[in-house]
Amino acid sequence: MRKILIILLSVIIVSCSASALQDIPKTEHICKTDIFGNDVYRISPDSDRGYNISAYLVIPEEIRSEHLIVYPFKSGKISSRYEVKEQQVLDSIVRDNYVSWQREVDNMTGAAALYLVIPEFSSEFRHLELDPWTLLSNDEFTHLDDQVCKIIDDALLILEKDFNTELSRKVNMAGYSGEGNFIVRFALLHPDRLWIACAGGVSWSPSIALAEMKGEPLPYPLGIADIEKYTDDFDLEAWKEIRFLIDMGENDDRGSYNRQHLEKLNWAKEYAETENFLPIWNAFIEEYIHLSSSAEMITYHNAGHEAQFSPVIDFIKANDSESVPFIPINPAESDIYVSVVLDQRLII
């Protein structure tokens, strides 16, 4: 009898521990931000919960968005110390004199926001780029995409349990440059987790849900020819439902993170080797608008590698609600940029 009681007690303890693990993510209230008065919470790394990165959850006094907005924040400052990147993320949220377009997006859309602290250990930005190496690595950040999904789940749980706010399981993501590449690649790995994807400065070749392009296989990170190496449940229909806003400046001189992959494609090889990336960008635009009815592609005239956050705000405000159809911002009268959406064609 005593043995039975001990066994039962052990089961109860294990069950309680599992329940505690499910219900209580490790969080720490940091402060209120200096400008907008939002609450800032740190979600600590927790390998038991499935993630070894931290994130900062920014909660406004009034949440007006149906979706959490997630930023795969890039500082561009290389450091072998993870806490250096974390301080850079925190600075961008709370410092008055720190220029952060993300904060403006948060304020104008009324969104609760999650700033991901993704390591920037080398100039290759492999973790931030979700490239094949980091997805299959043996370090603590392996399959960073899965870790991001789990920390998003915990952020949503915090909002539900502590703030009585239940948001959609799908999130909005916004980012520029390396962040933009993270977003379009994350869309291939977890299309069911995204509602809106705003990705700027995407290396002239945004990842797309195609197995081949111009008669050649298109492997990850450009496409999905070998996507089974990285995910077991790719869902094309879920990818088509994502509301994309993707842009490039026509004078962007940063080259392409995807150059080595583009040089393996016969149709793109010469363009990539001579860094004439505009024809490659136009080719991806054509494929995007044929494949998706909820993607808007923008080419900014006379612009280089510079984030344009006003269209991001407009796009999110127009498309955040799941009860309304896709609404492109499509500024037909603008001489600043050309928008390509649905069955329209790019004119430069």
Side-chain angles (χ1 to χ4, degrees):
M1 182 65 179
R2 186 170 181 271
K3 183 179 292 186
I4 293 174
L5 288 173
I6 291 173
I7 292 173
L8 287 173
L9 182 60
S10 299
V11 170
I12 291 171
I13 291 172
V14 170
S15 298
C16 289
S17 298
S19 176
L21 179 63
Q22 179 181 359
D23 293 339
I24 310 174
K26 294 178 182 177
T27 60
E28 176 188 357
H29 183 242
I30 301 298
C31 62
K32 283 186 176 293
T33 58
D34 297 328
I35 295 178
F36 301 125
N38 304 321
D39 276 300
V40 181
Y41 289 82
R42 179 180 186 264
I43 303 177
S44 305
D46 191 334
S47 58
D48 289 335
R49 300 184 70 85
Y51 48 85
N52 293 308
I53 61 171
S54 59
Y56 285 83
L57 180 60
V58 180
I59 305 174
E61 292 183 0
E62 179 188 1
I63 297 175
R64 303 190 305 274
S65 174
E66 291 183 16
H67 303 84
L68 178 70
I69 186 167
V70 178
Y71 299 111
F73 192 89
K74 178 182 178 181
S75 69
K77 298 177 181 178
I78 310 303
S79 175
S80 60
R81 295 168 55 207
Y82 185 74
E83 58 268 27
V84 170
K85 171 64 181 286
E86 187 156 4
Q87 185 61 50
Q88 292 164 352
V89 172
L90 186 57
D91 284 348
S92 75
I93 301 170
V94 304
R95 277 174 49 190
D96 283 344
N97 60 346
Y98 194 101
V99 178
S100 172
W101 62 265
Q102 291 93 339
R103 287 194 304 182
E104 192 68 25
V105 173
D106 298 344
N107 185 48
M108 296 300 293
T109 62
L114 188 69
Y115 289 73
L116 302 174
V117 183
I118 297 173
E120 295 176 53
F121 294 150
S122 76
S123 58
E124 293 177 304
F125 297 111
R126 282 177 150 174
H127 293 299
L128 189 65
E129 293 299 317
L130 286 180
D131 82 355
W133 173 85
T134 192
L135 291 179
L136 302 179
S137 67
N138 293 320
D139 66 10
E140 61 184 316
F141 302 113
T142 186
H143 264 295
L144 190 60
D145 58 312
D146 292 335
Q147 298 190 37
V148 167
C149 286
K150 289 168 183 173
I151 206 166
I152 287 173
D153 286 339
D154 272 0
L156 295 172
L157 188 61
I158 292 166
L159 288 166
E160 180 184 352
K161 298 292 185 182
D162 295 345
F163 294 88
N164 197 30
T165 300
E166 188 169 354
L167 300 181
S168 171
R169 180 176 177 271
K170 293 187 176 184
V171 301
N172 299 336
M173 274 193 182
Y176 189 79
S177 190
E179 303 163 348
N181 284 302
F182 178 102
I183 291 167
V184 290
R185 293 177 181 188
F186 185 85
L188 293 186
L189 300 168
H190 300 278
D192 62 314
R193 298 309 308 268
L194 290 181
W195 178 250
I196 287 175
C198 294
V202 288
S203 295
W204 301 103
S205 49
S207 303
I208 187 170
L210 284 178
E212 65 175 47
M213 192 168 173
K214 297 187 180 296
E216 294 184 78
L218 200 65
Y220 182 87
L222 295 178
I224 58 171
D226 58 350
I227 198 67
E228 69 279 354
K229 291 182 181 179
Y230 310 104
T231 180
D232 296 327
D233 54 358
F234 175 74
D235 185 339
L236 177 60
E237 294 309 310
W239 185 90
K240 289 181 178 181
E241 291 176 1
I242 299 171
R243 300 183 178 192
F244 287 101
L245 178 68
I246 303 177
D247 72 60
M248 282 295 300
E250 66 177 349
N251 297 327
D252 194 313
D253 59 357
R254 292 293 181 91
S256 176
Y257 283 112
N258 295 321
R259 178 171 174 171
Q260 62 176 316
H261 304 289
L262 293 168
E263 288 178 350
K264 295 177 182 178
L265 302 174
N266 291 326
W267 69 268
K269 179 178 174 64
E270 182 178 348
Y271 298 129
E273 288 179 341
T274 59
E275 298 193 348
N276 178 21
F277 292 111
L278 191 58
I280 294 173
W281 168 240
N282 289 342
F284 274 86
I285 284 178
E286 289 289 323
E287 297 295 349
Y288 254 91
I289 62 178
H290 287 145
L291 187 60
S292 171
S293 60
S294 58
E296 185 167 15
M297 316 294 287
I298 290 178
T299 304
Y300 291 102
H301 287 319
N302 301 315
H305 194 75
E306 51 198 84
Q308 310 283 343
F309 65 84
S310 292
V312 171
I313 293 171
D314 293 341
F315 191 85
I316 292 175
K317 290 171 72 173
N319 287 284
D320 180 65
S321 174
E322 296 190 16
S323 63
V324 301
F326 172 64
I327 304 172
I329 51 175
N330 196 22
E333 303 302 318
S334 172
D335 59 359
I336 299 174
Y337 54 83
V338 170
S339 170
V340 181
V341 63
L342 304 179
D343 61 349
Q344 298 173 31
R345 290 296 178 266
L346 178 67
I347 301 174
I348 295 182

